[in-house]
Amino acid sequence: TYNHVVCCDGYGVGIAPNDNNTIYMNINDRFFKSTDGGSTYSDPTGGNVTFFSSIAIDYNNPDTVYLGGSSIRRSYNAFTSFTTIATNSRRVLSTCPSNSARLYGSSGTNLIFSSDRASTWTTKSGNSGWPAATLNVNDIEAYPTNSSEVYVCFGGYSASNKVLRSTNTGDTWTNWSGSLPNVPTYGLAVSVEGVYVGTELGVFFRGYSMSDWVPYYNGMPKVPVTELAVNANGNVYASTFGRGMWFSGRRTACDATTFISGVKTGNWYYEASNTVTATMTSPGSVETEVFVKAGSQVVLQPGFEVKAGAYFRGYISPCSNGGIPVASRLSGTEETILLPRINEVNEKTKLPENENNYAMISGSELEINITKDSKVLMEAQDHSGKWLIFYPEQKFSPGLYSLPLPQKNALAYRISADGKTLPMIKPSNKYNGSIDPQSGYPTK
């Protein structure tokens, strides 16, 4: 059961680990403390805090509380009184479970470190391994039993700049992004079993001995995950933008065998070191993707059914080595190509060489106009953004051709003749025998 505590846009929040009635909240440019679970609250700072500020509580002494902002406010007595420190850490402020003296913070694109309870700070961004691109720091988390080991995640769309790792408080950095998709990463949860990261496309996990990330969907939709937390009760919790709060059991070691049954909707990822057996069913939904990885075999038993629209992929690969599978809802790859049947629309519609090449989607057909002998290549873009060849480069003579769309779920199509991409015109602009002198395109 959730209760609405106070109005307006919320940002930082902290709950005392020894008393769940003691809550600290940042609402717009106000900071509130409640000692009765949010029924009543007051501002112990007197107002004028930085708009949208971070809050951090000491893991070992819950009375030590930090409020980030253009200046940091530190209290040793649960904000009965506080000290102001002229350091900007409004975006992120993070305490360390194993060392109460150490904190990490950021005011935006930087990363700073303190070893004296926020009194003084050292800049750690820009050190060896830190990305050259200008990226917003969205979260910073230290390893539970070693405050020198720290992880940071970034927003934005800079490919391969998603998660960094340092084992020396940020003196040097290792890129830990692996195969994470090129979308913003918002939140981290660092645990003894590995690191969870919340992205624009859900949650991913990477163990410390794994070479890459794996999905940690467990039925969650692919929505922005704004914050993550692990709990000693064995769960990991996720807040999302638009789809509420979610929780799941924390990642465990690979079992030798896994059995999948029942109705599966949403997004799922399973691993087993030996065998995965499935009797599951999935209704036809484009929001359903199920990935099954086994070290030896994937067995589909009677009762297994995946209806049209849903996606299922079973494959063989070692357990716990990482790797993010991608749903390719297009049939065919660069290596395996199912050639569609191509027909000449009408022998009499063959055009002279002074007309223009073009392509057009008309219903379930793809029409291509070729004006001279050309090598034509046809490609479709799948939902991961990858371009797949559905018709190899072959020689076409002048004419108007038609073929069924072989990839009806494609994001886009690309047709090229002799290496030059043909303009894709709208069906309403279908060629009627003349060319517009301004655009050079066939007229309506």
Side-chain angles (χ1 to χ4, degrees):
T1 301
Y2 286 84
N3 296 315
H4 186 229
V5 174
V6 62
C7 86
C8 315
D9 294 334
Y11 189 72
V13 64
I15 302 175
N18 63 334
D19 177 14
N20 58 17
N21 284 313
T22 299
I23 306 171
Y24 303 92
M25 302 164 282
N26 169 228
I27 311 297
N28 289 341
D29 57 354
R30 297 295 302 277
F31 174 66
F32 297 111
K33 176 186 175 182
S34 174
T35 57
D36 54 14
S39 296
T40 61
Y41 46 87
S42 61
D43 185 351
T45 67
N48 298 317
V49 302
T50 305
F51 195 82
F52 283 2
S53 297
S54 53
I55 298 170
I57 300 177
D58 192 309
Y59 282 85
N60 304 300
N61 184 354
D63 286 340
T64 300
V65 183
Y66 301 87
L67 172 63
S70 55
S71 292
I72 297 172
R73 290 172 168 87
R74 177 187 63 201
S75 175
Y76 291 136
N77 54 18
F79 263 93
T80 301
S81 61
F82 61 89
T83 300
T84 300
I85 301 164
T87 299
N88 190 332
S89 66
R90 60 169 297 182
R91 191 172 186 88
V92 185
L93 192 59
S94 179
T95 50
C96 299
S98 65
N99 190 329
S100 294
R102 289 183 165 183
L103 293 92
Y104 294 91
S106 174
S107 61
T109 60
N110 66 334
L111 188 141
I112 54 178
F113 169 72
S114 174
S115 60
D116 55 8
R117 291 179 168 83
S119 295
T120 59
W121 293 83
T122 303
T123 299
K124 298 288 186 169
S125 49
N127 288 344
S128 176
W130 189 268
T134 302
L135 304 168
N136 279 326
V137 173
N138 280 341
D139 202 4
I140 309 166
E141 294 290 336
Y143 185 76
T145 61
N146 182 359
S147 60
S148 295
E149 184 176 340
V150 63
Y151 298 80
V152 56
C153 70
F154 299 102
Y157 295 89
S158 176
S160 300
N161 289 321
K162 304 303 168 188
V163 178
L164 295 187
R165 175 181 188 246
S166 175
T167 57
N168 50 23
T169 70
D171 288 342
T172 59
W173 296 95
T174 300
N175 193 316
W176 233 49
S177 302
S179 298
L180 285 173
N182 187 14
V183 296
T185 55
Y186 296 115
L188 292 167
V190 179
S191 64
V192 293
E193 67 268 18
V195 178
Y196 303 85
V197 62
T199 78
E200 189 83 5
L201 297 173
V203 180
F204 295 84
F205 172 84
R206 182 172 177 178
Y208 302 107
S209 62
M210 293 169 60
S211 60
D212 203 353
W213 300 82
V214 294
Y216 207 70
Y217 298 141
N218 297 350
M220 179 189 278
K222 292 183 180 179
V223 293
V225 175
T226 55
E227 196 161 359
L228 290 167
V230 292
N231 196 297
N233 65 6
N235 290 331
V236 54
Y237 294 84
S239 63
T240 74
F241 187 82
R243 294 295 294 269
M245 295 286 297
W246 293 70
F247 79 94
S248 176
R250 290 164 61 172
R251 167 86 179 201
T252 58
C254 269
D255 293 327
T257 59
T258 296
F259 186 77
I260 309 170
S261 61
V263 178
K264 296 297 177 186
T265 58
N267 301 279
W268 297 87
Y269 174 84
Y270 296 94
E271 285 189 346
S273 60
N274 188 13
T275 301
V276 176
T277 302
T279 60
M280 53 160 279
T281 61
S282 284
S285 169
V286 294
E287 294 183 354
T288 296
E289 293 180 357
V290 181
F291 299 96
V292 175
K293 183 173 80 166
S296 178
Q297 58 182 343
V298 176
V299 181
L300 308 181
Q301 291 188 338
F304 174 87
E305 182 182 32
V306 177
K307 293 186 178 180
Y311 182 91
F312 176 90
R313 177 185 172 193
Y315 60 109
I316 306 302
S317 184
C319 199
S320 290
N321 67 338
I324 300 173
V326 176
S328 176
R329 292 177 177 267
L330 304 176
S331 59
T333 67
E334 290 87 341
E335 293 77 28
T336 305
I337 303 166
L338 178 63
L339 298 181
R341 179 180 293 276
I342 296 180
N343 300 305
E344 293 183 84
V345 175
N346 190 319
E347 180 76 18
K348 295 180 181 179
T349 63
K350 289 185 177 180
L351 304 176
E353 292 186 10
N354 62 352
E355 305 291 3
N356 283 15
N357 294 331
Y358 69 90
M360 180 184 68
I361 297 174
S362 180
S364 61
E365 298 288 313
L366 175 64
E367 295 185 1
I368 305 170
N369 188 65
I370 300 298
T371 61
K372 62 180 181 179
D373 290 341
S374 305
K375 289 185 178 180
V376 177
L377 177 67
M378 305 180 198
E379 300 170 284
Q381 190 179 39
D382 70 12
H383 285 251
S384 70
K386 183 179 181 181
W387 286 97
L388 305 175
I389 298 170
F390 68 86
Y391 203 94
E393 191 174 56
Q394 291 192 17
K395 188 174 182 179
F396 278 57
S397 60
L400 183 63
Y401 298 89
S402 174
L403 68 154
L405 284 175
Q407 321 290 1
K408 295 183 180 179
N409 291 317
L411 293 177
Y413 297 91
R414 184 166 62 192
I415 315 299
S416 58
D418 291 334
K420 184 177 181 180
T421 301
L422 275 60
M424 293 288 294
I425 66 172
K426 297 180 179 179
S428 60
N429 295 340
K430 189 172 182 179
Y431 176 73
N432 69 353
S434 61
I435 298 293
D436 180 77
Q438 297 295 325
S439 67
Y441 283 40
T443 60
K444 294 183 180 179

